[in-house]
Structure formats: C-alpha cells, structure tokens
Amino acid sequence: MHPAASVIVFTTLSGAGFGLLAFLGIGEPAPTGLRAFWFYLLGYGLAVAGLLASTLHLANPRNAIKAFREWRSSWLSREAVLSVTALIAVAPVAFGRVFLGQDWPVLGVIGAALCLLVVFSTSMIYAQLRTVPRWNTPLTPVVFLAFALAGGAILAGRLQAALAALAVLGCVQLAAWIVGDRRFAQAGSDAGTATGLGRIGRVRLLEPPHAGRNYVLDEMAFRVGRRHAAKLRILSLVGAVVLPGILLATLGTGVVVTAVAAILHLAGALASRWLFFAEARHVVGLYYGR
Amino acid sequence: MTSLPTTTERKLGLVIDLDTCVGCHACVVACKGWNTVADDGAPLSDVDAYGPDPVGTFLNRVHSFEVTPDDGGAARVVHFPRSCLHCEDAPCVTVCPTGASFKRAEDGIVLVNEDDCMGCGLCAWACPYGARELDLAAGVMKKCTLCVDRIYNENLPDADRVPACVRTCPAGARHFGDLGDPESEVSRLVAARDGMALMPECGTKPVNRYLPPRPRDVTSDERLDDAAEGSDRPSGFLGWLDRMLEAL
Ligand code: SF4
Ligand code: SF4
C-alpha cells in the first residue's frame, strides 16, 4: 500500500497523544497546576495534530463532517466519533487538575479507556480489510495499542510502565512482522483465483489494461525492496524500543532524558508505521501481475 | 446508511463471457463516454490527458492474461474485463464512514452518493477487485453504476436500456440481467457454462459472474504425425497426394 505521509504521521502522533492522555487519566502521582498544563498540552497537541493530519489525505474534505454518521457499520466513523468523545471526556479532568488542583479519578479512568478505544478503532480500520492480508490479523490492534502505551508511558514519565510497555512492544512488533510475512500466501488469493482461470492452468498477466498509472496502482501497488525493508525493521526496532529502553533504564526520567527517549521512540514508530503500509500487499495487485 | 440490506429483491448484474471477449476495449470506451456526458454526478475526468503522464478515471478495464494449461497443452490468451461485481457482501459499503456508499435493497446495485463522499478512499482499499477509482478532479469516489441512469430510463428505446458496455460489445460477450432469478437468461447462462465468482476467498459474494473459456479442440498427435515430413505412410488427402506425386 502507498505509504502516505499524512496517514503515517496521523496514526503515529495521535497514537502517542492518546496514549499519553490515557496515562494521565490513570495518574498515580496526578500532576496538577502548571505541570499538568504542560502534560495535557502535549497530549492534546499530539492527538489533535494527528487528527488534523488525517484530514489532509481526504480528496473532498468539505464532507469530512459527515464521517460521524455511520458509526454503526464503519470503523473509520467510529474512530471519528470516539476521538472527539475522548477529547471531550478528558477535558474536565484536565481542567480540574490544571486550574482547581482537583483530581477526579473515576472520570480519569473513563477518559483513559476512551483514549485507548480510539487507538483500537484506528487499528481496526486496517485490521478489518481482508484485501490486505498482512493487516487482517488480531496483531494489528495489538501492535497499535502497544505503540500507544509505550509512547504514552515514555511521555508521561512513568518509568516502570514505559519499560514494561517497550518490552511488550518489541515482542508484538517482531511477532507481527513474522506472522505478517506469511499472511498473503495463507490468505490464498493468486492470479488464478482473481481471474477464475486457475481452474484451467497457470495464469500470467500478458498485457495490462493501460500503459500508464491509475488511482488503483498509485494507492495499492506500492512495493518496497526486501533488503530495504529488513534494514528499516532493524532501525525501527532500535529507535522505538531498544534505545529508549536503555536510556530510561540507566538515566531515569528527567526532562531531557524523557525528551530524547520520546523523540527516538517516535522516530522508530514512524519507521515502523511506514513499513506497515509499504510492506502491505493488496490483492488487487494480482490483476496487474504485482 | 452503509449497513448492507439483508436481501435484495433482485440481483442485477453482468455475466461476462471470457470465451467470447476479444479484448477490443469497446466496453471501456463506451463506459467512459456514457459516464462522462451523463448529467448526474461529476464526469469521469482525465488529468494531463495529452501530456507525458496521462491518468484518468475508468470504471471498467480490460486485462489480457496468458493461461498455460496444467496438462502441458498450448497456452492461450484470455481477455478479461474488470469492473464492479455488485457484491452481496460488499465490504466497500460497510467501511464507508459518511454513508456515501450504499447497496440498493430493490435491485442490489452498489452506488456512491457523490454529495456525501469525502474522498477518503477507504472503500477502494476494501474492494478486492480494484473496481473503485477516486476521481482526481472531483475528489469523489467513482464506480460502475450498472448504468442505473440507462436501465430504468424511459426516454431511451428498449434496446438501449442496458448498461453501455453491454450495448456496445461487438462480440456479445457481456450479458445483463437479474442473477437473483434462477429462470433469467443470465442465470441460465451461468448454470450452463459453470459461471465463476472471482476471489470467493475474500467473502464478498459477487453478483457478477464470469463464464470460463470453453476447452480448446485438441489436435490429435496422429494427424500431426501424418502431416509431418518423413512419416512413412501418410493417409487421407496427404496420402493420396503422396501416392500421386510418387507415380509421376
Ligand atoms: S466489486 Fe468492489 S466496489 Fe463493487 S461491490 Fe464488490 S467490493 Fe464493492
Ligand atoms: S471515499 Fe467516499 S464513498 Fe469511499 S469510503 Fe470514503 S466517503 Fe465513503
């Protein structure tokens, strides 16, 4: 699938932002006053920046408001509804802490749950697609949630939670890659089933329907070189998991260390998300011999 | 509403005969023409049509495949038109967040209401068959409408009340009808020729069916041997010619 910058930035930043808001919601040492203000500013900033980035890839953003209508059937609509609900639900807790020095833990937990539901709904947009076998596994939501929790814990300065989340993230990310590499073959689609001609013999594209590109090819026939992908996987794992883990474990959670760890983590997360799209193969490629 | 109807009264669709299709792309052109001049909705646009990198919106594309039989016989070319199959379990409909994509309960046609589409492209991702193309000029999703503006159009003569691709196909390779009615002509064709659903493993339950190419006549090795130079006793006409030439 074409790795569109807007969608990669959106899923990565809003994931980390909602992860941070979730951790703030279940804050053991609940920050208050100015400290809380900076935390919430960062959480809201990331989540909202991500959501705004997501509108950049709409070809007809005038109708974006209608995306709230079909939450009964559509995960994309659920994501839109949930993200607005979560952002509103977190607001009173943030207000209480920043301006009143008050903490309402029950509201906080509800807000945190909604934030994680947003991330889950984002992941389900991809996981539901049978046309992209690599995405069509329960590991997709697991990886998205692991990224949100790890990013959120690092940003919130929760040392124990961050180390635990990073360990889990490393494992599920590796599992997703290993399982994902086999998914296309397992799903069982090939040029023979795509054309129905497999019942006669071996099918090969002789002549494509058009010489140039088209929307379907631009969107869905992206292929990334294998060696390229292998290198990026290592870089992403080192950036997102290994380096932040070592930094936090040895130097604690001071502001500078947290900032460096968070930037490394987000850079690794962006690389992983780029691969998530670039490595995903859509079955429509079978009609084009790709 | 992007929930699917549980059943549809009719299942209008196409039956495409891969034995007859000659790969002329007339259906592609007719479709492009009709959907570019028709009143409702944005035209099917082209970008950079006369420049070095032309790209345009089409609702029907014709691929050509080579099929090599498993038993080692000669390979053959099969021309393969590809368009929306108006699936019963259309994933393109249920993913749509705005309600722009829908499947009609009365005849099963899958349509996009362009006034509601936000151009997110998710429905195109959900379709296994590449049947949806985002119009780059209008920013809305385009797909085969089964010429809903022709088939019910009382201003057109009867013969024209079929999809433009069906009307134009010079080989008669495209058939239009109700696949929900087992007695319809298209249903009988499907039954007689073992019509195929594409990528059934994707769970979309397509309405459109493809008729597989008929098996080719197999040239018997015996006659090939007869005709071959140096075979000792040709029979039939060749044998006669052989004897006559010898007698000269
Ligand atoms: S062929 Fe594609 S666009 Fe048409 S109904 Fe099926 S899934 Fe939807
Ligand atoms: S591109 Fe339009 S029709 Fe397709 S899912 Fe998005 S809003 Fe719905």
Side-chain angles (χ1 to χ4, degrees), chain B residues 3 6 8 30 54 62 72 75 98 100 135 193 223 231 246:
Chain B
S3 297
T6 41
T8 59
V62 179
T98 62
D135 190 90
R193 299 270 309 278
R223 266 192 274 158
S231 64
E246 233 164 73

Side-chain angles (χ1 to χ4, degrees), chain A residues 113-172:
Chain A
L114 281 169
C115 288
L116 294 182
L117 267 180
V118 176
V119 178
F120 178 72
S121 62
T122 305
S123 68
M124 283 309 290
I125 295 171
Y126 306 103
Q128 69 178 334
L129 297 175
R130 289 175 85 166
T131 48
V132 186
R134 183 185 282 278
W135 293 349
N136 188 222
T137 106
L139 279 168
T140 299
V142 172
V143 169
F144 271 61
L145 282 167
F147 264 111
L149 288 174
I154 295 174
L155 289 168
R158 304 282 171 77
L159 184 59
Q160 297 306 324
L163 292 178
L166 284 173
V168 172
L169 172 60
C171 297
V172 295

Side-chain angles (χ1 to χ4, degrees), chain B residues 8-203:
Chain B
T8 59
E9 279 166 47
R10 294 191 295 159
K11 295 177 188 170
L12 294 188
L14 300 175
V15 170
I16 297 173
D17 190 342
L18 298 180
D19 195 65
T20 323
C21 173
V22 293
C24 67
H25 293 242
C27 52
V28 178
V29 178
C31 168
K32 176 88 171 176
W34 177 261
N35 288 292
T36 300
V37 299
D39 290 336
D40 36 310
L44 294 180
S45 73
D46 296 308
V47 178
D48 196 23
Y50 303 101
D53 188 21
V55 46
T57 317
F58 288 78
L59 311 182
N60 181 25
R61 308 257 188 189
V62 179
H63 301 240
S64 297
F65 291 97
E66 175 199 77
V67 191
T68 313
D70 294 326
D71 61 17
R76 61 192 294 181
V77 173
V78 179
H79 303 292
F80 184 91
R82 175 177 60 81
S83 59
C84 173
L85 310 170
H86 298 279
C87 306
E88 285 180 60
D89 270 344
C92 56
V93 168
T94 49
V95 298
C96 176
T98 62
S101 279
F102 62 103
K103 183 171 176 72
R104 307 203 321 172
E106 62 268 39
D107 52 17
I109 300 181
V110 175
L111 292 174
V112 176
N113 175 358
E114 293 175 10
D115 293 336
D116 283 350
C117 173
M118 67 175 186
C120 65
L122 188 57
C123 53
W125 289 10
C127 170
Y129 314 105
R132 292 178 167 237
E133 299 194 9
L134 190 89
D135 190 90
L136 297 179
V140 293
M141 196 53 74
K142 290 289 188 177
K143 67 174 296 299
C144 161
T145 66
L146 214 55
C147 283
V148 73
D149 50 350
R150 288 174 67 99
I151 58 177
Y152 298 115
N153 191 337
E154 289 174 4
N155 297 321
L156 295 177
D158 268 355
D160 283 333
R161 284 188 218 164
V162 292
C165 56
V166 174
R167 184 75 178 99
T168 208
C169 178
R174 306 177 70 94
H175 308 269
F176 164 70
D178 180 6
L179 285 135
D181 169 9
E183 295 308 312
S184 70
E185 235 171 275
V186 280
S187 294
R188 271 189 263 154
L189 259 179
V190 170
R193 299 270 309 278
D194 199 8
M196 322 179 281
L198 305 183
M199 275 199 273
E201 66 277 10
C202 281

